[in-house]
Amino acid sequence: MRRRYIFLALLLVFALAGITYFVSPLGGPSRNLNLTGDVVRGEYVIRVGGCVACHTDIAGGGAHLAGGLPLKTPFGDFVPPNITSDKQAGIGGWSVAEFSDAMTIGVGPGGKHLYPSFPYDSYTKMSDQDIVDLYAALMATEPVPQRAAEHSVGFPFNIRLAMQGWKRLFFTPERYEPDADRSGRWNRGAYLANGPAHCGACHTPRNLFGAALKDQHFKGTPSGTRPFFPAIDSATLKDRGYDEATLVDALTGGFDPDFDTLGGAMGEVINESLVHWTKEDLSALAAYLLDQD
Ligand code: HEC
Ligand code: HEC
């Protein structure tokens, strides 16, 4: 029954995609990719971006960034591919422009539309410098000549062109624009949370098509839903008893206000990303989270 509902809903997406196809070009802001990439900064962006958590089979001891475990979704299983510098199995043959398009508009070389299980709806907010640094760091990775497994998604989700319709309906390419009324620290926190660190990939509820509900930013999923993601809007975090210091502590593996450590998917975000952040970035993140509106 649910499958049928999803199928009908997808047909609707196809139809709407047909209608909107010619009227809304999916360009996004133009990017300056002539900047000089810095490998060391890029390695930090890899950590902030949480690329390792998805693109490495950590449990199986797989090679760094050579492909991850399948992500199970209602639409099928998506396997994060090999993004090492190998020219055939990885992305070593990609230009910086091709890489930037994948990260910011979800289009791979040859116009291949990428699935939003790769959170480019957040990465689109990344700065040009971060994209260029990320590219430099990925090109400096050890090439791993083995391709990751194929996705296992059934009809009609296996038609990549359908993603074009999805994007036209639900995705707007945009670079993060600082809020001039806020401090540099607040803007850094907002950039990290909504761009590279893609906190909304889990903490913002999604519609039937897997698109973020923008008016429910960081509002989490209703209690009882599986998987459950708690709300991390400012009011909820303050109600929970967090201040900046305790939030940074919880986000780096310490205790939350209930004297528990955060586990499950959040444990992975902590271990593969947040523990590697600088003190300044963690405190900027916490400051922003507690003062979002
Ligand atoms: C939540 C899991 C997840 C995270 C986090 C993630 N990716 Fe991915 N990524 C995927 C999946 C799944 C795909 C496959 C998408 C597809 O086939 O359409 C993918 C595809 C890609 C591709 C396209 C590769 C190709 O061969 O087409 C690139 C490049 C990429 N990711 C880079 C990154 C970088 C860099 C980061 C960190 C900043 C990152 N990803 C973080 C899941 C993730
Ligand atoms: C892959 C999914 C995922 C991502 C990405 C993610 N989280 Fe979480 N987060 C969770 C889950 C699941 C929990 C609940 C963990 C638990 O209760 O053990 C959680 C819990 C939390 C909590 C505790 C809330 C409370 O009520 O105590 C905070 C704070 C939090 N996340 C912040 C963040 C921030 C900030 C980011 C981005 C840097 C982020 N999360 C990214 C899945 C995620």
Side-chain angles (χ1 to χ4, degrees):
M1 190 61 207
R2 187 173 159 79
R3 249 195 111 76
R4 186 141 155 230
Y5 184 37
I6 291 176
F7 183 75
L8 289 175
L10 205 89
L11 280 182
L12 183 74
V13 171
F14 271 114
L16 287 173
I19 297 165
T20 51
Y21 183 80
F22 294 103
V23 289
S24 58
L26 189 97
S30 71
R31 296 265 175 182
N32 172 15
L33 303 171
N34 292 323
L35 304 163
T36 307
D38 181 321
V39 174
V40 175
R41 272 209 77 244
E43 282 167 353
Y44 181 66
V45 183
I46 289 179
R47 285 304 183 178
V48 170
C51 322
V52 183
C54 280
H55 284 278
T56 305
D57 174 5
I58 299 161
H64 188 60
L65 299 175
L69 292 175
L71 303 169
K72 309 225 175 266
T73 76
F75 311 102
D77 294 355
F78 295 92
V79 185
N82 180 335
I83 55 166
T84 69
S85 65
D86 190 84
K87 286 206 159 55
Q88 269 79 44
I91 61 166
W94 292 26
S95 68
V96 65
E98 288 170 329
F99 176 71
S100 172
D101 281 354
M103 297 296 295
T104 62
I105 57 172
V107 177
K112 173 176 158 184
H113 286 283
L114 300 173
Y115 292 104
S117 49
F118 166 36
Y120 55 80
D121 60 344
S122 298
Y123 294 149
T124 184
K125 298 206 172 58
M126 286 173 71
S127 68
D128 298 349
Q129 187 66 58
D130 275 359
I131 296 282
V132 169
D133 290 344
L134 197 48
Y135 177 77
L138 289 170
M139 291 303 135
T141 53
E142 191 67 34
V144 178
Q146 197 176 348
R147 280 192 161 279
E150 298 291 320
H151 303 319
S152 154
V153 282
F155 181 78
F157 306 111
N158 55 357
I159 304 175
R160 282 190 180 270
L161 206 58
M163 285 306 110
Q164 168 135 330
W166 186 92
K167 286 190 216 170
R168 284 183 199 283
L169 290 170
F170 301 122
F171 170 66
T172 316
E174 52 181 328
R175 193 170 29 216
Y176 179 77
E177 290 302 334
D179 179 343
D181 295 334
R182 299 285 199 157
S183 68
R185 184 160 164 267
W186 186 95
N187 275 296
R188 175 72 181 160
Y191 169 73
L192 290 166
N194 296 301
H198 65 279
C199 311
C202 293
H203 290 284
T204 298
R206 314 229 140 212
N207 67 14
L208 187 64
F209 307 107
L213 299 169
K214 292 205 168 118
D215 58 341
Q216 293 185 45
H217 189 245
F218 287 178
K219 296 274 190 229
T221 51
S223 61
T225 37
R226 299 259 155 242
F228 171 68
F229 300 110
I232 57 165
D233 59 291
S234 307
T236 305
L237 290 177
K238 283 185 206 152
D239 275 356
R240 291 265 297 124
Y242 286 111
D243 61 18
E244 249 179 69
T246 50
L247 189 51
V248 167
D249 189 43
L251 288 175
T252 46
F255 294 111
D256 71 6
D258 300 330
F259 298 102
D260 287 327
T261 49
L262 303 175
M266 192 62 203
E268 200 159 287
V269 174
I270 291 172
N271 292 331
E272 299 307 326
S273 176
L274 289 162
V275 297
H276 300 280
W277 288 33
T278 62
K279 269 203 173 70
E280 292 72 31
D281 278 351
L282 284 166
S283 93
L285 174 70
Y288 159 73
L289 287 174
L290 290 166
D291 183 21
Q292 290 169 47
D293 339 277

